[in-house]
Amino acid sequence: MEIRSNISSSLPDVVRGDQLRLKQILINLVQNAIKFTDSGIIEVGAELYTISETDARVLLKVADTGIGIDPEKQKDIFDNFTQAESKIGLKYGGSGLGLAIVKKLVEMMQGFIWVESEPGKGSCFYFILPFALHKGSSTNMELETIPESIFVKMLDAHILLVEDDPINQMLIKRQLELWGLTVDIAQQGEEALRMHAEKKYQLILMDIHLPVMDGLTATGIIREREQGHQTPIIAVTAAALLGDRERILACGLDDYIAKPIDMNELYNILAKHLDSQE
Ligand code: ADP
């Protein structure tokens, strides 16, 4: 399989926009293209769509010669938790969340995205994004004021996720990786203890309800072990347990987040505890 890029010479040399979001969009689409293409070509392209005094609209595409997507399934492919077919989901793995995130990122950049695909021939994801042009002082205010979001600042740390549910493992890991984190997974408390002893983690995200050894017990043992430096441990707990704030904090946990996890809140908690270590 070959990956090609095709960047049109009609594009302006310099545009202003959100590099980080664009990178995340491309990484997701290219990862999917690789996942669903056994042989052939993956092409990443960019060409000028429209241009004005102040901004350039760029048409980007990620095309593959892979298995393609059934027309019926193309309709809701950008919706949360869609997998083209559960069979395919089983063969290729994945959470069905990637394209929902991609669409959100494209829309945050005031763009739009669509897919064209023929089963057996391949798929092409197109998206159009506006970029501000670097001409004198004429910057595009709309682009300047894209709201702060959970995707703004990448986090860079190695963290341990202690979670027994495979779906949650996948969803949380994928989201953490999109924020730049490296993630190891422990299924339960004892495994977490072993991994904590072997490797230095900058943070532990610990589900409280675990089989074999629960999160509070595991946290207690980790705290006994650690002399001086304490790894921040964030509890993930059912909302009903949140009333137990005192108990959770008394067990040596640094913070907690309720299930189902609000990803904005998770980002803020992680950023807070990772920042305070610098
Ligand atoms: P995931 O890959 O985690 O399942 P995505 O939201 O990225 O989630 O994709 C949803 C579904 O869309 C995939 O499971 C797959 O069936 C289909 N899909 C996405 N990209 C492609 C592609 N390039 N070729 C074929 N099918 C695709």
Side-chain angles (χ1 to χ4, degrees):
M1 189 217 299
E2 185 185 323
I3 303 187
R4 276 188 204 157
S5 73
N6 186 1
I7 312 297
S8 159
S9 56
S10 61
L11 286 173
D13 291 335
V14 181
V15 295
R16 292 183 63 194
D18 191 326
Q19 277 190 47
L20 184 59
R21 288 194 187 119
L22 178 57
K23 218 186 271 180
Q24 285 170 336
I25 293 165
L26 288 170
I27 288 172
N28 265 285
L29 294 177
V30 172
Q31 274 177 349
N32 273 347
I34 293 172
K35 188 154 85 173
F36 296 106
T37 306
D38 285 335
S39 64
I41 295 164
I42 292 166
E43 185 189 317
V44 180
E47 65 186 79
L48 189 61
Y49 187 65
T50 59
I51 189 156
S52 73
E53 273 288 293
T54 51
D55 64 60
R57 277 161 206 274
V58 179
L59 171 65
L60 294 115
K61 71 169 183 183
V62 176
D64 65 55
T65 55
I67 62 172
I69 304 158
D70 196 80
E72 230 352 80
K73 311 287 177 187
Q74 288 174 33
K75 288 188 207 140
D76 59 0
I77 194 123
F78 296 104
D79 294 344
N80 279 357
F81 303 109
T82 305
Q83 285 209 338
E85 274 174 53
S86 50
K87 281 205 301 278
I88 292 178
L90 286 179
K91 172 165 179 208
Y92 294 96
S95 58
L97 205 61
L99 290 175
I101 293 173
V102 164
K103 180 165 185 240
K104 197 168 153 199
L105 291 168
V106 168
E107 286 174 353
M108 279 173 167
M109 293 176 76
Q110 343 258 300
F112 61 97
I113 183 163
W114 72 99
V115 64
E116 290 173 13
S117 174
E118 209 178 311
K121 295 224 165 122
S123 311
C124 188
F125 288 84
Y126 292 97
F127 55 111
I128 293 178
L129 292 178
F131 291 95
L133 289 172
H134 242 325
K135 275 191 191 151
S137 58
S138 57
T139 50
N140 184 334
M141 284 315 288
E142 224 178 298
L143 288 173
E144 293 291 301
T145 53
I146 285 174
E148 281 289 301
S149 85
I150 55 175
F151 298 103
V152 169
K153 186 182 162 222
M154 289 294 264
L155 303 170
D156 176 22
H158 197 165
I159 82 169
L160 178 62
L161 170 64
V162 193
E163 165 68 63
D164 62 317
D165 180 78
I167 303 278
N168 284 339
Q169 281 174 4
M170 206 160 58
L171 289 177
I172 299 171
K173 181 166 193 268
R174 184 158 180 163
Q175 179 64 67
L176 295 174
E177 286 172 347
L178 277 177
W179 291 329
L181 296 160
T182 308
V183 184
D184 288 348
I185 294 178
Q187 310 282 342
Q188 40 87 354
E190 276 177 359
E191 194 180 0
L193 289 179
R194 187 174 51 70
M195 293 174 78
H196 169 262
E198 284 169 5
K199 240 187 227 168
K200 188 170 171 344
Y201 292 101
Q202 277 126 300
L203 186 141
I204 301 175
L205 196 57
M206 176 88 80
D207 194 356
I208 291 303
H209 283 284
L210 296 165
V212 191
M213 180 190 285
D214 72 78
L216 293 183
T217 311
T219 300
I221 298 175
I222 289 175
R223 288 296 178 239
E224 276 171 26
R225 255 190 212 167
E226 287 183 322
Q227 312 242 319
H229 171 80
Q230 291 207 343
T231 312
I233 306 181
I234 315 298
V236 181
T237 175
L241 267 186
L242 284 185
D244 276 350
R245 182 167 197 272
E246 299 307 319
R247 188 166 74 98
I248 287 172
L249 298 183
C251 286
L253 289 150
D254 294 272
D255 220 325
Y256 56 81
I257 182 162
K259 267 185 180 176
I261 296 180
D262 172 331
M263 291 299 173
N264 274 304
E265 195 185 341
L266 178 60
Y267 177 89
N268 289 335
I269 289 182
L270 294 174
K272 179 173 135 195
H273 289 276
L274 289 169
D275 255 7
S276 64
Q277 288 182 70
E278 279 168 6

